[in-house]
Amino acid sequence: MRKSKELAFSYGFLLPSLSLTLILGIYPIAWAMRYMFYDYKGFGKKTFIGLDNFARVMRDGEFWHSVANTFAYAGGKLALSIPLALLLAVVLNRGLRGRHILRAVFFLPTIVSTAVMAVVFFAIFNAYNGVLNQFLLKYKLIGGAVDWLGADHAMLTVVLVSVWGAVGNYMLLFLAGLQNIPADVYESASLDGANKLQQFRYVTIPMLGPVMQMIVMLAIINALKGYESIMVLTDGGPIGKTNVMFLYVYKLFFPTAGTGAASQIQEMGYGSAVSFVTAIIVGLITALYYFGSKRMNRYA
Amino acid sequence: MRLVWKAALWAFLLIAAFLTLFPILVTILGSFKTNAELTAGATILPSSWQFNNYVEAWRQAKFSTYTFNSLFVSVASTLGILLVSSMAAYVVDRMAFPGKRLYVGMQAFTMFVAIGAVVLRPQFELMIRLHLHDSLWGVVLILISAHASAFFILYSFMSGIPKDLDEAALIDGCSRGRTFLQLIVPLLTPGLGVCALFAFRGAWNEYLLPFVFTLSKPQLQTLTVGLASLKYGISAASQTHLMMAGACLSILPMLAVYLFANRSFMQMTAGSLKG
């Protein structure tokens, strides 16, 4: 009797969470899994076409172009933000005067929405009346207006903006990891005559290993998935130079939502197949990194 | 030699700090300039302070509406996430019932498997069927449904509260529901605080979800969406000063929370790494 009452209580308390997760979390994923085998434009006929959508993904040059863009974007973002975040964390972990203020400064960008930040950077970087160009021109630091968001520089600009928003976050995570390393390890290392650089190489890096592995993995996933700021800043343009794969998927579902690009047809079935492929790509890279870094840790 | 190192270190830190603050400074100072001065670019401080920009942004660019919408979405979804995930965390930590592992696995699944914008479409269709696509409640519900990380944070906090406490309460004749409300929730306050901050920050900064839901209903736009849409305004070039003022308006509340709670905020974020 009492047992059944307890059970009823358990399920009753779990119900809000369970139903919301099932209906708005799991069902949409199942929905996509089903439609990836259909030809479906969002209205009208739904035709089962088996694996045809996947064959089309393989032949879709624009998609693979966006995959290449994603790798360039994620690679650039990681290569800049992770070392910088680690460096700042190591420096600010010391008993430096003003370190609390500096930590707060570097963390500041992470509280700004990526969409808001993209709007601000648009005002700074745009070629015709951007703040940066006008400033550089006024002081004759450049000969003519630089098209920061044009085909030649757009990817670099987008990467820099994302680095600006991400460094503080990873710095904080690194700091948390560093604070878990006991101080006496450093003391004994310096007694043994290790200099600061050697201490970093032989104490900090190995002891930070597991935390670093997790932070880098988070960073990889985030970098591969990020597209909000790109959407606001360049909308994938110009001529698809900054079109990353999650943005490509988005446009298959909401073709008219973007502003710059020529509107295409809504492709729900095909879009589901593409998003499935992107999920596999992200999963594969994460798994590769995870097992690769595990092995490295063992030999370090 | 030491001195050279130290100088190099400080030079690096100051340059990094400058680059970090530069866009924020440009935004804050730019929000007080006239549009002409802003797009001419050459001044750092405004030659005359245009406080009027804020009035204009607030009224003309409808930032009062956007702010209200943002507040509504953020407050409602934060409260919802706290309620739903604390109840679930309590049951999962304290009770034994069939399907528990399945539930936890499901939460982990929704947290790690992301397939991007594809889920927005079925979510939107569901809201049409529930007649919630014309209001912000749809956005709120979808935000609440993504409560997996709050669940796991509260779950770890919950296991830190001794089980003897609620057993004693139960023996004294307190019902499970009352034990949860009067004993567990107060003890869980630190965990709830962390989750509230994360949930509020997430909802306040959310762009895509409110964007999709307000495509045909501009009066429901939140701050992030309304601001981004200014970029594509009819006369985009002439609105940069309003964009800057709007950006400041949208950052301000988070900035206030952040400065107010800076110390504990930093510690909490750091602490969540272990959780």
Side-chain angles (χ1 to χ4, degrees), chain A residues 159-182:
Chain A
V159 166
L160 289 178
V161 169
S162 74
V163 168
W164 183 82
V167 165
N169 208 18
Y170 299 129
M171 174 200 75
L172 199 68
L173 293 173
F174 277 129
L175 265 173
L178 286 171
Q179 271 154 16
N180 283 342
I181 303 176

Side-chain angles (χ1 to χ4, degrees), chain A residues 2-3 6-7 9-14 16-18 20-29 31-32 40 42 84 87-88 91-92 96-98 100 102-116 118-124 126 128-132 134-135 138-139 164 169 171-177 179-180 196-197 211 214-215 218 221 225 227-228 231-235 246 249-250 253-254 256-260 266 268 271-272 275-276 278-279, chain B residues 2 5-6 9-10 12-14 16-17 19-24 26-27 38-44 84-92 95-99 103 106-107 109-127 129 138 141-142 144-145 147 151 170 176-177 180 201 204-209 211-212 215 223-224 227-228 231-232 236-238 240 243-244 247 250-251 254-255 258-259 262-263 265-266 269-274:
Chain A
R2 193 163 167 268
K3 181 108 188 155
E6 294 263 277
L7 269 185
F9 171 85
S10 301
Y11 289 124
F13 249 48
L14 206 60
S17 165
L18 190 63
L20 279 171
T21 308
L22 279 175
I23 296 170
L24 292 169
I26 304 286
Y27 165 76
I29 295 176
W31 182 97
Y40 180 40
L84 199 57
L87 192 60
L88 287 174
V91 170
L92 295 180
L96 207 67
R97 189 171 299 168
H100 292 293
L102 283 169
R103 279 183 207 173
V105 164
F106 295 127
F107 192 67
L108 200 55
T110 64
I111 63 164
V112 183
S113 151
T114 50
V116 169
V119 168
V120 168
F121 276 102
F122 178 78
I124 291 176
N126 87 69
Y128 305 106
N129 51 16
V131 173
L132 184 63
Q134 303 301 335
F135 191 81
K138 163 98 179 192
Y139 292 99
W164 183 82
N169 208 18
M171 174 200 75
L172 199 68
L173 293 173
F174 277 129
L175 265 173
Q179 271 154 16
N180 283 342
K196 286 267 154 69
L197 227 57
V211 177
M214 199 202 81
I215 296 171
L218 272 176
I221 297 175
K225 281 183 3 191
Y227 66 105
E228 266 190 5
M231 191 173 154
V232 178
L233 197 60
T234 64
D235 199 28
F246 272 78
V249 172
Y250 176 84
F253 281 90
F254 299 95
T256 50
T259 42
Q266 202 170 41
M268 312 255 270
S272 300
S275 70
F276 187 73
T278 60
Chain B
R2 266 189 70 91
W5 261 109
K6 219 164 172 168
L9 185 70
W10 272 103
F12 163 71
L13 281 175
L14 290 178
L19 289 176
T20 308
L21 287 178
F22 178 72
I24 296 175
V26 166
T27 312
L38 187 61
T39 48
T43 54
I44 295 169
V84 165
S85 52
S86 63
M87 282 163 68
Y90 176 67
V91 169
V92 169
M95 317 286 274
F97 59 91
Y103 171 81
M106 200 173 79
Q107 290 300 337
F109 177 79
T110 59
M111 203 160 70
F112 288 114
V113 175
I115 51 179
V118 59
V119 292
L120 282 171
R121 190 71 222 183
Q123 284 173 339
F124 191 67
E125 282 181 3
L126 273 169
M127 289 308 157
R129 252 180 253 169
L141 275 180
I142 295 173
I144 295 175
S145 76
H147 60 268
F151 164 76
L170 284 170
R176 278 274 177 200
F180 172 74
R201 184 175 69 165
W204 186 264
N205 287 339
E206 177 71 35
Y207 172 68
L208 216 53
L209 200 51
F211 175 59
V212 167
L215 278 175
L223 273 171
T224 48
L227 185 63
K231 192 189 125 186
Y232 300 119
S238 69
T240 312
M243 259 163 60
M244 297 285 190
S250 78
I251 297 172
M254 279 314 299
L255 197 66
Y258 167 64
L259 288 178
N262 181 19
R263 228 201 158 81
F265 191 62
M266 294 292 244
T269 324
S272 70
L273 181 64
K274 294 174 217 153

